[in-house]
Amino acid sequence: MPTAPQIDSETARHVLWHYGRPGGFRPGSFTQKLMEAIDAADVIHTARLRAAYPELVDAMNAAANDADGTARLTAIANGSASKEA
């Protein structure tokens, strides 16, 4: 069974920015477009994107779907939490 990727503080800040949350930091244009693609992807394409960008897909999934996702990402961005998704 594969392990969950580690979400680093930079990725956490980019995802927070994408969702308009405090503590976010605007990424470069490629990452912005990649996050838009992840948001728009269906299940099959999300799986394909996750194969290449597991940390980003998991961080975006946490922010969009987990009740405490943005809180966990904020803690990671601030360096005060576990980096596991």
Side-chain angles (χ1 to χ4, degrees):
M1 174 179 226
T3 60
Q6 298 290 309
I7 297 172
D8 64 22
S9 60
E10 180 179 29
T11 299
R13 285 191 298 270
H14 291 165
V15 173
L16 290 169
W17 174 86
H18 179 77
Y19 288 105
R21 305 296 291 198
F25 182 79
R26 184 179 188 156
S29 62
F30 176 81
T31 302
Q32 288 178 45
K33 290 178 184 358
L34 181 56
M35 289 189 296
E36 291 170 10
I38 293 167
D39 267 345
D42 59 21
V43 173
I44 300 292
H45 290 100
T46 298
R48 290 178 179 170
L49 288 165
R50 189 178 190 285
Y53 304 99
E55 181 179 338
L56 185 58
V57 171
D58 285 357
M60 291 190 63
N61 183 50
N65 300 311
D66 294 350
D68 67 340
T70 55
R72 284 188 297 121
L73 292 175
T74 299
I76 292 168
N78 293 333
S80 59
S82 168
K83 296 180 179 185
E84 286 190 30

